[in-house]
Amino acid sequence: MKQVLKLTLWLLLLPMAMQAQDRTSIDKIEALAQNLYLKENYKKCVEVLQKQKDLVVKYLTEKDTAYFANLRFQARCYYRMKDYDMARNIAKEALDNWEQNHSTEERSYILMLDNYATYLGNGDNPDYELALKYGKDAMERYEKLQRLRPGCNSTPFSRKQLLCGEIC
């Protein structure tokens, strides 16, 4: 009876242990991508991020915030490579993903709105009207967030976000 209980417990805990291991792998790949980004090796960074995205889909799901973060990071890389169409497409996919799965009042979503506005305003075919629309939306949401959480943070961006290039 004791062995059956141990086996049952082991079988119940195994998937959680596997998921934790997968999450660790995903985090390690992101750290590698951040190093490549900081070295301005954006093309290789996108390749690494694509592999990470595949792992996120396989082990977590597209509903996990890691999926959104991956898309946001890829969009930044394309923006830095001046591939504005790709940056816009991926950023829009990230926004759509977040809107389907998470609260649009979260800071990550607001930052992506702001980044998307920047991407829309660049390139050979900028869409200034749409860029202005998304930029205003981001500003209104950020101001609302500041009113709801006074003193939460005196600046819109954390030191880590600035160092890791989460802001365009």
Side-chain angles (χ1 to χ4, degrees):
M1 179 69 168
K2 194 173 185 181
Q3 287 181 335
V4 171
L5 185 60
K6 282 183 183 180
L7 179 61
T8 304
L9 184 60
W10 185 78
L11 289 173
L12 289 172
L13 293 177
L14 182 61
M16 290 179 3
M18 292 298 291
Q19 186 175 11
Q21 184 178 7
D22 297 333
R23 184 64 150 192
T24 300
S25 298
I26 290 167
D27 291 344
K28 285 180 182 179
I29 292 172
E30 183 174 352
L32 173 62
Q34 286 179 359
N35 284 334
L36 290 166
Y37 184 88
L38 291 173
K39 292 177 182 176
E40 299 180 11
N41 192 345
Y42 306 120
K43 186 176 180 180
K44 186 68 175 173
C45 185
V46 167
E47 291 173 18
V48 169
L49 286 169
Q50 188 56 52
K51 290 177 184 173
Q52 183 204 35
K53 180 181 162 189
D54 294 342
L55 288 176
V56 169
V57 170
K58 183 176 180 180
Y59 295 112
L60 300 177
T61 70
E62 292 179 5
K63 292 180 180 184
D64 194 281
T65 56
Y67 186 81
F68 169 82
N70 178 283
L71 293 174
R72 185 176 63 190
F73 201 171
Q74 283 191 53
R76 260 193 342 265
C77 290
Y78 282 109
Y79 176 78
R80 296 295 180 157
M81 291 188 289
K82 300 189 184 327
D83 187 342
Y84 302 114
D85 289 335
M86 200 63 163
R88 283 190 284 262
N89 292 340
I90 292 175
K92 183 66 171 119
E93 183 183 348
L95 287 171
D96 292 345
N97 172 273
W98 190 274
E99 289 165 358
Q100 292 171 8
N101 299 302
H102 307 285
S103 167
T104 58
E105 301 305 315
E106 294 292 323
R107 183 186 203 133
S108 291
Y109 178 77
I110 297 168
L111 286 170
M112 191 69 241
L113 282 175
D114 188 37
N115 287 355
Y116 186 53
T118 300
Y119 305 156
L120 286 167
N122 283 282
D124 294 333
N125 301 310
D127 188 338
Y128 297 121
E129 285 184 40
L130 200 54
L132 186 59
K133 175 186 171 252
Y134 278 94
K136 282 183 177 180
D137 189 14
M139 181 59 75
E140 289 169 4
R141 288 172 186 269
Y142 181 70
E143 288 173 347
K144 181 181 176 185
L145 183 67
Q146 288 297 94
R147 282 193 305 274
L148 293 174
R149 300 180 195 168
C152 173
N153 194 350
S154 60
T155 62
F157 312 115
S158 72
R159 177 171 160 64
K160 180 183 178 218
Q161 288 168 324
L162 291 171
L163 289 174
C164 294
E166 288 187 14
I167 311 307
C168 289

